[in-house]
Structures are given as structure tokens and as C-alpha cells.
Amino acid sequence: MYERDFCCRSLSSGSPEIEIDLKPLKIAVIGTVNQDIIVLPNHKKKISWGGIAYNICTLAALLKEKAQIYPVCNVGRNLYPQVTKFFSKFSNINLDGINKVPQKHNTCFMYYDKYQNREEYLEGRVPALNFNQIKPHLNSDAILINFISGWDLSLEVFKEIRKHSRSVIFLDIHSLTLGIDKNNKRFLRKPKNWQAYVKCCDILQMNLTELETVLGKKLKPKDFIIEAKKILTLGPKIFLLTLGKRGAIVAWKKRNKVSAKKIAGIPVKKMVDDIGCGDVFGAAFLASYLVNSDLIKSTQLANYVAA
């Protein structure tokens, strides 16, 4: 998956020793850090960092000294000091790709009912990333792109990343499937040219709602693996379909063979909210897969960490 440098060192006895130079992985995480304000059914509020913060922190915590994590995002001037202070707690997170912009930062209000349904409202409009902001990170071992605002980067910029980088590109399609109305309320919609985005990645992640949205149809459980395999015809080598408490499906192609496997979910005793579970899943999968290249074990770990 990634290269390691080898060098030959002479011992005092004159006999050569092969030394492996284990440089830390470089992983760029592209998207938006939201400020999340979560309103639970009992009307209690929780305020936390969301969006790609879940990806970044999961990668940093799981890989420790094995990796340097590079967030690449725009942050509004009103929350820039707080965001950078939060990430500076991690010794393996590099802040060079975090850019302060004059716009008010994105805040996502999420209202839950007792059935775990939620409504989302997004305030603040930090601009999309341009290619020059991403250019220093094209030599990364992996680039994780997670659409959080939905306009985090354009298709043209995504195509430039694919054209100029040999990195493993992981795409969580996420809020690319969400529009926003005049009242700032988010709603599901089929994104234009979604296949073109998918074509640019090596590893693709969607949840069931997102897959049904891009396909424009409801799916039955017997359809899950069939549709997961079809997604691979668009270009990705690996497709992850998350199914909440039902687990996940991992589909992959090797040479001319396409395979898929259902991975059981991890029981959760008490559900509070599911915000960030998909982001944590994707980051945990990528962290494991970069180290061991084992699809099944990586999906099992992702299920466990997300739960």
C-alpha cells in the first residue's frame, strides 16, 4: 500500500545489517470541522467538534506514533483559536493545513426525537478548498476526503487530486447527498455527477440512506450485496456500506473477481446518539487497512470502534 525506505548500515565488526527506516505514515484528512450543537429528546444540549474532527482524532488515537495526521480545512475566524487548540493536544496532528478564513464558521444544529430521528440545520459558510491548499499533501500515503458541508471541494479539484497523487484516496460521500434550504435546513437529494466523484477514489464509504439516495430507490436486505458489488464497476477497488446496528458490508475487487462480505454489528446497550459513528468507522477502517491490508479485520475493527 505504501513505500518504506531501506538502507544498509555497517556494524563495527564490518558485517552489514539491513535496517528498515519506518517513517510514519502521512495521512491527509480533507473536509470541514463542524461545531455540532446536539439537542437530545430531553432537550439537553451537547456542544462538540464534529465533521472531520471524528476522522482526525480516530486516526491520531489509533495510529499514535505510526502516523502524522494532516487536517486540510478552512476554519472561520470566530472559532479558529478553539479548533487549533483542540487539535494541538495530539502530538501526531500537524496543523499546517488548517486555514483561517474571514467567514463565520460552520455550526450544525441537530435535533433528535425519541425515535432517534433528527433534523439538521447548518449555519456558517466557510468556502470550498482550492487545489493549492491540497497540493502540499499529494504525497501522502493516504488522503481521506469526507464531505461535511457538501461543498468542501469541487469535482474539478477532486479530479486534480486524483490526477496528481498516487495516494490511497478514501471517500466518504456523506453530505454530498445533502442540500440546504432557505431556512438552513438540510435535506436529502441525489447529487449531480456523483459517479464522477466515486470514480476518483480507491475506497468508497456510504451508509444505506446515502446509497439509496444516489441510486434513487429503496433497497431490501437481499439487495445490499448486489448493489455493493455494482458500485465497484464505477471505479473504486473497495466499497464500504455501513448499516448501523446491523454492521457493514465490505465489497472489493481483485483482478477480475468481485467479492463481498457482511460483517456483523456490535451490540450497543444504550443508544445516546449516532453522530460521528460513520466518520469513526471510516477512519478506523483506513488506519487498520494501511497497516495490515486485511479488509475483513479492518471492517471488524471499524465496527467495534464506531460502536
Side-chain angles (χ1 to χ4, degrees):
M1 296 298 295
Y2 45 86
E3 295 179 356
R4 285 289 176 265
D5 297 325
F6 294 84
C7 61
C8 191
R9 183 179 63 185
S10 295
L11 301 177
S12 56
S13 62
S15 60
E17 179 189 74
I18 299 298
E19 181 184 83
I20 302 175
D21 182 13
L22 290 176
K23 293 180 180 178
L25 291 164
K26 179 179 178 181
I27 304 174
V29 182
I30 297 172
T32 306
V33 176
N34 276 352
Q35 177 182 237
D36 286 345
I37 299 180
I38 304 160
V39 183
L40 299 172
N42 60 7
H43 304 297
K44 287 186 178 180
K45 288 184 180 180
K46 294 196 302 180
I47 301 176
S48 64
W49 300 117
I52 62 170
Y54 288 108
N55 303 118
I56 295 161
C57 294
T58 301
L59 288 165
L62 289 178
L63 290 170
K64 297 184 172 67
E65 72 280 354
K66 294 184 179 70
Q68 281 289 309
I69 316 302
Y70 289 77
V72 184
C73 57
N74 288 323
V75 176
R77 54 178 167 68
N78 59 317
L79 291 181
Y80 179 83
Q82 296 94 314
V83 170
T84 51
K85 181 180 179 181
F86 173 72
F87 286 132
S88 65
K89 297 175 183 177
F90 295 82
S91 62
N92 58 345
I93 295 178
N94 185 297
L95 307 182
D96 291 350
I98 300 179
N99 179 51
K100 182 166 68 173
V101 296
Q103 292 84 351
K104 187 177 179 182
H105 194 68
N106 294 20
T107 297
C108 189
F109 295 84
M110 288 169 272
Y111 299 89
Y112 273 85
D113 66 21
K114 62 181 179 181
Y115 304 107
Q116 286 297 310
N117 300 311
R118 80 174 186 233
E119 289 186 347
E120 291 188 22
Y121 295 81
L122 185 65
E123 295 183 1
R125 292 291 181 99
V126 297
L129 293 156
N130 61 55
F131 183 64
N132 284 335
Q133 289 176 267
I134 298 165
K135 205 170 181 179
H137 308 283
L138 295 176
N139 64 343
S140 300
D141 295 287
I143 298 174
L144 190 159
I145 299 172
N146 189 355
F147 279 91
I148 300 298
S149 66
W151 60 85
D152 311 74
L153 71 162
S154 68
L155 177 57
E156 290 69 30
V157 170
F158 200 171
K159 286 179 177 178
E160 287 296 299
I161 295 170
R162 177 76 286 174
K163 179 180 177 181
H164 295 286
S165 178
R166 297 178 63 187
S167 308
V168 175
I169 297 181
F170 184 111
L171 169 64
D172 187 342
I173 207 165
H174 206 170
S175 294
L176 202 61
T177 61
L178 291 178
I180 185 167
D181 68 17
K182 62 182 181 180
N183 297 314
N184 295 324
K185 185 178 180 180
R186 308 228 66 174
F187 60 89
L188 282 168
R189 56 107 167 97
K190 183 176 180 177
K192 294 179 181 178
N193 300 322
W194 68 271
Q195 296 98 329
Y197 287 90
V198 169
K199 187 178 180 180
C200 293
C201 71
D202 301 296
I203 306 172
L204 173 67
Q205 179 178 325
M206 294 187 204
N207 64 32
L208 181 57
T209 300
E210 291 157 1
L211 180 59
E212 290 178 334
T213 300
V214 299
L215 295 179
K217 62 181 180 180
K218 285 287 183 181
L219 300 177
K220 296 179 181 179
K222 65 181 178 64
D223 301 322
F224 295 167
I225 284 181
I226 295 170
E227 295 297 337
K229 288 182 175 180
K230 286 181 181 178
I231 287 290
L232 296 176
T233 65
L234 300 175
K237 300 176 181 67
I238 300 166
F239 176 49
L240 300 165
L241 176 61
T242 60
L243 302 168
K245 64 182 180 182
R246 290 178 288 182
I249 289 170
V250 56
W252 67 96
K253 60 184 177 186
K254 191 173 183 180
R255 300 182 181 91
N256 293 322
K257 185 180 179 183
V258 177
S259 306
K261 185 175 177 62
K262 170 80 161 52
I263 307 297
I266 307 295
V268 175
K269 290 182 180 179
K270 184 181 178 181
M271 179 71 156
V272 179
D273 68 67
D274 59 0
I275 295 166
C277 289
D279 309 310
V280 168
F281 178 99
F285 175 90
L286 183 61
S288 176
Y289 187 64
L290 288 173
V291 172
N292 61 38
S293 299
D294 189 314
L295 286 166
I296 306 304
K297 287 183 179 178
S298 297
T299 310
Q300 290 170 335
L301 174 72
N303 265 345
Y304 176 78
V305 178

